[in-house]
Each structure stands twice: as structure tokens, then as C-alpha cells.
Amino acid sequence: MSNDKDQFNIADLGAALPAAAAALSAEDRAGLVNALKDKLQNLAGQHSDVLETLSPNVRKRVEFLREIQAQHDELEAKFYEERAALEAKYQKLYDPLYTKRYEIVNGVVEVEGVTNESPMDQEEDKATEEIGVPNFWLTAMKTNEVLAEEISERDEGALKYLKDIKWYRIDNPKGFKLEFYFDTNPYFKNSILTKTYHMIDDEEPILEKAIGTEIEWYPGKSLTQKVLKKKPRKGSKNAKPITKTENCESFFNFFNPPQVPEDEEDIDEDIAEELQNQMEQDYDIGSTIRDKIIPHAVSWFTGEAVQGDEFEDIEDDDEDGDEEEDEEEDEDEEDDDEDEEEEEEEKSRKKTSTRPKKSGRSRAGEGQQGERPPECKQQ
């Protein structure tokens, strides 16, 4: 078989990029892609060399297997294409249900069976009148473990004004967009906050970058920063208090995602690792909202979704447990082997007990030294 590199399929190379590629600039990422192409083409040549070493009959079988693999890859490509079309089809079927949910949650329409109070009762309870389902999205998000860690007590006041969350795919570049719809509130002017994720390959969760809405906070209402005031020192000419602004933890930091510095010299190994962790966490929050909160918001509001989420965690724990059990079995086997070796050594000692005492003392001393715990050895 000839050493033809062009036969090697390097399509969808982005899927082969590691998660660390999310911390690279577009220019660096393009260079990485080209480097990977060269590497894979070289590997293709090496594989061809390997095929050359096979016997003619085995080589023919492998060539036929490669044809089967190519057929599989074609089917897989169709699968991804049809899956995208199927998701788009059902997304359109979901939309009317999401619209009904929005209308009920925000009191636009009333469900059957809800009794209307008399005008007198309405006037008395006007201050405490509940329209729709209060705090629906706040409660649903706080019930989810991933999002609960991001929502501070200060955030809750603003999130009570959240009316709806939507998402949709974007094609150029590949990715998805989240939209958060807010009622008029005393915290910020924006009625819609968005978060857009650009993916290197949307079939694989490899994040290129994320873009968030700049929040227009009202004066003194920012939840992502706090203003510290410090009294001037005694005798200072400046009698005005010193003010200092500090960033603070808030869910609304989600709309100001971490950015990759343009200058490569600004990124050392520690900064790159921290940046990668931040971007992975940011994507985890966004995908949780997209895949769990939006489609199953009612179940998260009632708490029913928590149980299903716990079952998923238990399955993961079971898999980890199986691995630990396998490791324990291996350790037990090693212990059994050690016990057998000790028994053989004991028999050997008994056989040598009739030999000169000098040799016996030396072996006994070695045995005592071997039985000491690490602490004793160091003393």
C-alpha cells in the first residue's frame, strides 16, 4: 500500500482539541490546529508504514476494515446532521409550552379553577396580592446545586424580577445564546441580559470564548461591586471619607466572563490554568441553565428535579465505587502474596535455627527492623 497522506481523514479536527485550547487566542488556536494537522498526517504516514509490514493477506483484510470504518464515519456524520434537525424540530414544539409557562408564571393568564376574590377582599389584600408564581426562576435556580453556589443573598432581590429565560443555537460561529428577561427593577436598566458561547465544535464542549451583556447598573445598586468608605486619619487635610471599590461574588458576574489576554506574554502557566478553570466553570453554569433549568424549570421550582439529579450523581459514584473495589481487590491479592512470602520466610527461619547464633541474630534483627512503622524508622 502506498504512503498516501491524503487518504487520512482530518475533518472535524476541532473536536480533537483539548479543553486548554479555550485559553488560546484565535491566532494561536489556528497555529495549534495546523500543528495538529501536520502531526496527524505524520501519524497517517506512520500507520501506512505499519501496514507495509503486514503480510499481503492481513493487509487486504485491514484495507477492507478501513472501508467499513469510512462507511461508519459517513453514517455518523448523517447522525449529527439529523440530530441537529430533530432538535430544531422539537425546539419548535417546545416553544408553545414555554410561552404558556411564561404567561402563567407572570400572571398574564389565569389557570382554570382559581377563584376570584370579591372586590372588598381584593382591596384589603391588595398589598399582599400574588400575581402568577412569585420568585419562580429564583427558586428554580437556587434549587440547583451548581447555580445555588453562584447566587448570593444580595442577588436574590434582583433575581426576583426575572420573568423568563430562553436559549437558542447559533450557527456562525457555532454555539448557543442565553437570554434573561427582567421586569422593570431598581437595580439595572437592562430589560434583557444575554450570554453567548462560541464553540470550536458544538458537538464537543470546547469553549472558544463567551460574551456577556454589559449591565447598566443604577447608581449605588451594582451587585458585582461594593463601595468601602474609610474615615480619613486624624489631622489629615482631606476631611472627606476615602472610598474604595471592590469586586464581590455575585451571580451577575456571569455576564462578565473571563477574557483571554491578547498579549501572549501576559499568560504564564499558572494564569493559563486559572483562566481555563474559570472558563470551564463558566461553561458549566451556562450549560446547566440551558440543559436543566430552562426545560425543567417547574420541576426545579418544586424540588422534584433534585431527586433525579441525585440519581445521576449516585450512578457516577457507583462507577467510582466499582473502580475502588477493583483496586481493593488488587490490594487484597497483593496482601495475600505478601502473607505467603512471610510464611515461606518463617519456614526458612525455622530451618536455619540450628545454624550459628550470629546468623540467627542478624536475621531476627532484620525482621524486627522490617516490622517497624515508618515513624520508628525515622527516630
Side-chain angles (χ1 to χ4, degrees):
M1 185 172 178
S2 64
N3 204 1
D4 190 356
K5 296 180 182 178
D6 293 337
Q7 292 182 359
F8 184 67
N9 183 12
I10 57 174
D12 297 330
L13 182 63
L17 290 173
L24 299 175
S25 67
E27 183 178 354
D28 291 337
R29 190 166 53 257
L32 180 58
V33 169
N34 291 330
L36 281 172
K37 284 182 179 179
D38 294 339
K39 179 68 175 177
L40 291 176
Q41 286 178 336
N42 290 334
L43 288 174
Q46 292 175 13
H47 292 163
S48 299
D49 293 338
V50 171
L51 292 174
E52 292 288 350
T53 65
L54 301 176
S55 65
N57 288 336
V58 174
R59 192 186 312 161
K60 286 180 180 179
R61 295 178 191 129
V62 174
E63 288 174 353
F64 190 83
L65 289 174
R66 293 182 72 189
E67 292 177 6
I68 295 175
Q69 183 65 54
Q71 293 174 20
H72 170 276
D73 294 345
E74 289 180 8
L75 289 174
E76 188 176 38
K78 290 181 180 179
F79 161 73
Y80 285 127
E81 183 179 347
E82 291 181 11
R83 187 178 72 172
L86 192 63
E87 287 179 348
K89 170 188 173 182
Y90 276 89
Q91 193 64 38
K92 291 181 180 179
L93 297 176
Y94 293 148
D95 285 342
L97 301 179
Y98 293 155
T99 299
K100 290 181 181 179
R101 182 178 67 187
Y102 167 84
E103 292 174 345
I104 294 172
V105 165
N106 294 284
V108 177
V109 298
E110 191 58 275
V111 300
E112 294 181 5
V114 176
T115 57
N116 293 323
E117 298 177 351
S118 63
M120 186 175 294
D121 292 335
Q122 288 181 356
E123 290 179 5
E124 292 177 357
D125 298 336
K126 193 172 184 179
T128 59
E129 182 182 2
E130 292 182 333
I131 299 175
V133 184
N135 307 330
F136 176 80
W137 289 102
L138 170 61
T139 304
M141 292 168 65
K142 283 184 63 180
T143 307
N144 180 272
E145 186 177 5
V146 172
L147 300 182
E149 294 179 358
E150 305 299 320
I151 299 173
S152 69
E153 188 174 348
R154 297 170 70 241
D155 294 330
E156 294 185 14
L159 289 174
K160 289 179 179 180
Y161 291 91
L162 182 56
K163 300 192 298 181
D164 200 9
I165 310 177
K166 297 180 179 180
W167 83 274
Y168 55 89
R169 290 189 181 277
I170 56 176
D171 293 324
N172 191 19
K174 293 283 187 180
F176 65 94
K177 186 175 184 179
L178 297 169
E179 294 181 338
F180 298 75
Y181 294 80
F182 284 86
D183 202 350
T184 304
N185 64 81
Y187 295 91
F188 48 82
K189 298 179 182 179
N190 314 67
S191 59
I192 302 175
L193 300 180
T194 66
K195 182 68 171 285
T196 306
Y197 289 91
H198 293 173
M199 314 301 292
I200 295 174
D201 186 337
D202 64 346
E203 300 300 343
E204 295 286 337
I206 303 173
L207 178 63
E208 179 181 359
K209 66 177 179 179
I211 304 171
T213 300
E214 182 178 353
I215 303 177
E216 301 178 56
W217 298 101
Y218 288 119
K221 292 294 185 177
S222 175
L223 298 172
T224 60
Q225 293 182 331
K226 56 183 177 181
V227 179
L228 303 178
K229 291 185 179 181
K230 186 178 181 181
K231 293 182 179 180
R233 295 180 180 180
K234 291 183 179 180
S236 175
K237 295 181 180 179
N238 187 5
K240 295 182 179 180
I242 302 172
T243 59
K244 183 180 179 182
T245 303
E246 287 187 357
N247 295 330
C248 56
E249 294 184 358
S250 169
F251 170 78
F252 290 93
N253 287 322
F254 176 67
F255 299 98
N256 184 25
Q259 300 296 324
V260 181
E262 294 181 1
D263 191 351
E264 296 179 17
E265 296 179 357
D266 293 341
I267 307 178
D268 60 23
E269 189 174 336
D270 293 335
I271 293 176
E273 184 177 357
E274 181 182 357
L275 185 61
Q276 179 181 335
N277 292 335
Q278 290 175 350
M279 295 185 77
E280 288 177 355
Q281 182 183 7
D282 181 77
Y283 178 81
D284 189 27
I285 296 170
S287 60
T288 296
I289 295 172
R290 178 194 65 182
D291 299 334
K292 293 187 176 183
I293 300 301
I294 294 177
H296 307 290
V298 176
S299 298
W300 285 105
F301 176 83
T302 61
E304 295 167 288
V306 176
Q307 188 174 4
D309 219 39
E310 288 175 349
F311 280 136
E312 291 181 8
D313 294 338
I314 290 173
E315 289 176 1
D316 294 339
D317 293 341
D318 287 343
E319 292 177 1
D320 296 337
D322 291 340
E323 293 177 0
E324 291 176 0
E325 287 178 5
D326 292 339
E327 292 176 0
E328 290 176 359
E329 288 177 1
D330 293 339
E331 291 176 0
D332 291 340
E333 290 177 1
E334 291 175 2
D335 293 339
D336 291 340
D337 293 339
E338 291 176 0
D339 292 340
E340 290 176 1
E341 291 176 1
E342 290 177 0
E343 288 177 3
E344 291 178 0
E345 288 179 3
E346 185 64 27
K347 290 178 182 178
S348 178
R349 289 196 193 99
K350 290 180 180 179
K351 289 179 181 179
T352 57
S353 60
T354 58
R355 294 181 182 178
K357 291 183 180 180
K358 184 177 181 182
S359 175
R361 283 196 300 271
S362 176
R363 190 171 287 277
E366 289 172 4
Q368 289 174 2
Q369 181 69 21
E371 292 170 1
R372 289 181 183 179
E375 305 86 64
C376 298
K377 288 182 180 178
Q378 295 173 357
Q379 290 177 354

